[in-house]
């Protein structure tokens, strides 16, 4: 106990110094209007932004976190700085697999949401504060933690009250939720924020690759630019809404930005101080359990100074002797009846009976466009009354690349006083067809409400050639100039519009021709119908080279698009330049026979029957 107390005294002294150094470094590296108050907390002219994310929708449910601060010496100090930390210091290093997960998540977010500017060092800072880098990198080869990392149950006893949302699947607790995994997601948030970071087809909060990618998307879920200090603060506070949490994460962020090093998995140091550990002589705080320590039921955790497994001593009453060896002079009183547990007051979420469509109809959009209508749902009691302050999750389902603004397939919105929640704008992808958006109540197992949406093809109503060059060729040769067209819709450029090109028999017969000009496929075979070609960003499409067989005549290439755009292009095949053959308007006549018996073939000049 004395050693533990002495360690905490030394820790307090170091913490004070580190906080001052960290704040000074942060203040020097940020905008001129960023300052620090007397307690070392960052402020701005408009005060530090606070998060309005409720506990049930934050990443961690505002669970406890580790408060250990970075070592005094930077892992990569300037030459004039004091003695650097040892390059192998486990406190300053990051386990190899965990570091790889952070960097892979940053790379994916740079691709998916470049405007967010997520640094991997932020994920490392949060991972340090939430789980000590997955308990010092105790993960298997695939990045899954060896034993689950589980926070305390969120039963309202000193923490947020979040009733079970996953039937204990992730946290082993069917009464309340617990934060789980190296990034400490609560199950209700993981349900919509979870990602598959290692490509194994699963979204596992206990896998550091999945958890790091999920944390990145969570921090980038709004139009936040994390290179901006105010947005960075908001994002961190949305992860765990505590000013001390913000300051601790920022300290580690600054530390890792100055440099760090890779250490072997499983060799990292474990944090010792927790935000809910306020007694220097207390037993280790509850939570952050390993595989053999399931979540504790309410009241099962011993308080400060109590030994697990022993009943706490009870002070003597007036009817009990204060002398264990002497007789009692007062007869004992009858025991008082046990106090009944008060019935908990139902939350708004508890009163929801069903969801109703709040007037959303006709969800249709052209590929690549934003749906004109937003999905709106209303939460109601059994009697039909509106229920406000209820979290609604919207999920895009089905084989589609449509998503909400920002590229997410999930969105969570709180109902307003009228009980209505409106999802973010829905953006159609390039994949056409039908899909479903499902609305559900977060924290309840009520039936969801489905909305059917349709993505249609891009359209063009006009096709024109970009040049007026005549397209001519000799029999058996190839056309020198390619066919290039431009598509428009109501006068505007129509990009990514599908164009079908068919060599037809005549203007009145759209059947594919069996002679005359043709395209070639990858195997060099004749092709007279092309599909799957789309206009570029300027609405322009250049077709492949055209060839001619031995048939002479005038032929027609017909181009069509969804939306009614049609264009007929004339192709001429003649033996001699300047010779205009008769038009080929249909199948060739049967060859006539000369008196000598030698067959000859001439272009038909009579109209077809």
């Amino acid at each position: 106990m004395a050693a533990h107390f002495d360690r905490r005294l030394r820790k307090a002294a170091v913490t004070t110094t580190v906080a001052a150094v960290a704040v000074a470094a942060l203040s020097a590296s940020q905008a001129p209007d960023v300052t620090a108050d007397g307690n070392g907390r960052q402020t701005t002219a408009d005060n530090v932004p606070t998060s309005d994310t409720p506990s049930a929708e934050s990443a961690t449910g505002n669970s406890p976190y580790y408060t250990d601060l970075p070592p005094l010496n930077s892992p990569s100090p300037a030459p004039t700085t004091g003695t650097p930390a040892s390059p192998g210091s486990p406190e300053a290093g990051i386990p190899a697999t965990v570091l790889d997960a952070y960097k892979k998540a940053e790379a994916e977010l740079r691709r998916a949401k470049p405007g967010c500017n997520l640094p991997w060092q932020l994920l490392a800072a949060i991972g340090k504060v939430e789980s000590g880098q997955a308990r010092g990198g105790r993960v298997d080869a695939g990045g899954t933690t060896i034993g689950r990392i589980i926070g305390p149950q969120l039963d309202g006893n000193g923490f947020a009250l979040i009733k079970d949302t996953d039937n204990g699947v992730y946290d082993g607790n069917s009464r309340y939720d617990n934060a789980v995994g190296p990034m400490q997601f609560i199950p209700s948030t993981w349900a919509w924020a979870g990602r598959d970071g290692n490509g194994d087809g699963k979204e596992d909060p206990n896998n550091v690759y999945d958890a790091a990618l999920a944390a990145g998307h969570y921090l980038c879920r709004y139009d936040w630019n994390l290179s901006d200090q105010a947005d960075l603060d908001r994002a961190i506070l949305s992860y765990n809404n505590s000013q001390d949490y913000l300051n601790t994460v920022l300290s580690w962020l600054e530390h890792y930005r100055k440099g760090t090093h890779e250490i072997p998995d499983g060799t990292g140091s474990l944090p010792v101080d927790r935000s809910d550990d306020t007694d220097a002589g207390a037993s280790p705080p509850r939570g952050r359990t390993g595989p053999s320590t399931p979540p504790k039921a309410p009241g099962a955790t011993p308080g400060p100074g109590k030994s697990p497994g022993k009943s706490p001593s009870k002070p003597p009453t007036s009817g009990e002797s204060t002398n264990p060896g002497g007789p009692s002079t007062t007869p004992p009183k009858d025991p008082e009846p046990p106090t009944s547990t008060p019935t908990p007051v139902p939350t708004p979420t508890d009163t929801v009976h069903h969801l109703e469509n709040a007037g959303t109809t006709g969800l249709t959009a052209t590929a690549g466009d934003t749906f004109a209508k937003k999905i709106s749902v209303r939460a109601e009691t059994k009697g039909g009354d509106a229920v406000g302050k209820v979290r609604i999750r919207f999920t895009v389902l089905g084989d589609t690349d449509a998503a909400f603004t920002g590229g997410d397939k999930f969105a969570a919105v709180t109902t307003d006083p009228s009980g209505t929640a409106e999802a973010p704008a829905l953006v159609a992808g390039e994949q056409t067809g039908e899909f479903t958006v499902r609305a559900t109540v977060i924290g309840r197992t009520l039936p969801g409400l489905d909305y059917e949406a349709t993505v249609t093809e891009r359209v063009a109503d006009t096709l024109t050639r970009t040049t007026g060059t005549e397209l001519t060729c000799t029999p058996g040769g190839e056309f020198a100039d390619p066919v290039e067209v431009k598509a428009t819709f109501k006068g505007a450029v129509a990009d990514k519009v599908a164009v079908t090109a068919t060599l037809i028999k005549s203007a009145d017969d759209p059947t594919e021709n069996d002679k005359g000009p043709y395209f070639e496929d990858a195997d060099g075979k004749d092709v007279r119908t092309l599909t799957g070609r789309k206009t570029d960003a300027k609405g322009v499409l250049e077709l492949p080279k055209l060839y001619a067989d031995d048939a002479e005549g005038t032929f027609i290439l017909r181009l069509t698009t969804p939306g009614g755009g049609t264009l007929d292009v004339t192709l001429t095949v003649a033996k001699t330049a300047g010779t205009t053959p008769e038009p080929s308007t249909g199948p060739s006549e049967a060859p006539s026979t000369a008196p000598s018996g030698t067959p000859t073939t001439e272009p038909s000049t009579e109209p077809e029957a």
Side-chain angles (χ1 to χ4, degrees), residues 174-259:
S174 59
R175 295 186 62 188
Y176 301 97
D177 270 351
N178 304 62
V180 297
M183 301 303 277
Q184 288 291 281
F185 277 95
I186 54 175
S188 59
T189 300
W190 182 261
W192 60 266
R195 293 293 191 280
D196 177 14
N198 59 356
D200 64 355
K202 298 184 295 183
E203 297 171 355
D204 181 4
N206 300 296
N207 182 278
V208 69
Y209 288 98
D210 294 0
L213 183 59
H217 276 282
Y218 181 90
L219 294 165
C220 292
R221 68 196 186 282
Y222 298 128
D223 292 331
W224 284 334
N225 175 5
L226 301 187
S227 64
D228 176 80
Q229 186 64 41
D231 281 356
L232 175 64
D233 290 352
R234 291 187 184 95
I236 296 172
L237 286 168
S238 77
Y239 209 92
N240 193 316
N241 196 9
S242 160
Q243 186 66 37
D244 289 336
Y245 179 86
L246 170 66
N247 294 336
T248 306
V249 170
L250 288 175
S251 296
W252 281 105
L253 171 60
E254 184 67 15
H255 178 76
Y256 288 136
R257 275 177 167 164
K258 290 179 179 178

Side-chain angles (χ1 to χ4, degrees), residues 263-454:
I263 60 176
D265 289 344
T267 64
S269 61
L270 297 178
V272 293
D273 293 323
R274 282 278 301 278
S275 60
D276 59 338
D277 181 18
T278 58
D279 187 340
S283 301
R286 56 183 180 151
R288 301 298 197 270
T289 59
S292 61
T293 311
K296 298 177 176 60
T301 303
K306 300 175 185 176
S307 301
K310 294 182 180 181
S311 300
S313 59
K314 183 178 66 175
T317 64
S318 60
E320 295 177 331
S321 172
T322 57
N323 180 9
S328 172
T329 57
T330 307
K333 295 182 179 179
D334 293 333
E336 297 181 0
T339 303
S340 60
T341 303
T343 303
V345 178
T347 66
T349 301
D350 294 331
T351 65
V352 178
H353 178 266
H354 61 274
L355 296 176
E356 287 287 342
N357 187 333
T360 303
T361 58
L363 287 172
T364 302
T366 302
D369 290 348
T370 299
F371 283 76
K373 298 179 180 178
K374 292 184 178 180
I375 297 174
S376 186
V377 67
R378 175 181 158 96
E380 296 184 354
T381 65
K382 187 174 183 179
D385 295 329
V387 185
K389 298 183 179 180
V390 174
R391 301 292 284 175
I392 304 296
R393 180 182 298 116
F394 297 93
T395 307
V396 177
L397 304 172
D399 184 16
T400 180
D401 55 354
F404 295 112
T405 302
D408 288 327
K409 296 282 188 178
F410 308 91
V413 183
T414 303
T415 58
D416 61 20
S418 69
T420 302
E422 185 178 76
L426 189 62
V427 180
E430 294 302 320
Q431 187 172 339
T432 60
E434 297 182 349
F435 65 94
T436 300
V437 177
R438 179 169 296 164
T440 56
V441 179
I442 295 175
R444 294 290 301 279
T445 56
L446 299 173
L449 184 62
D450 288 349
Y451 297 80
E452 302 302 322
T454 304

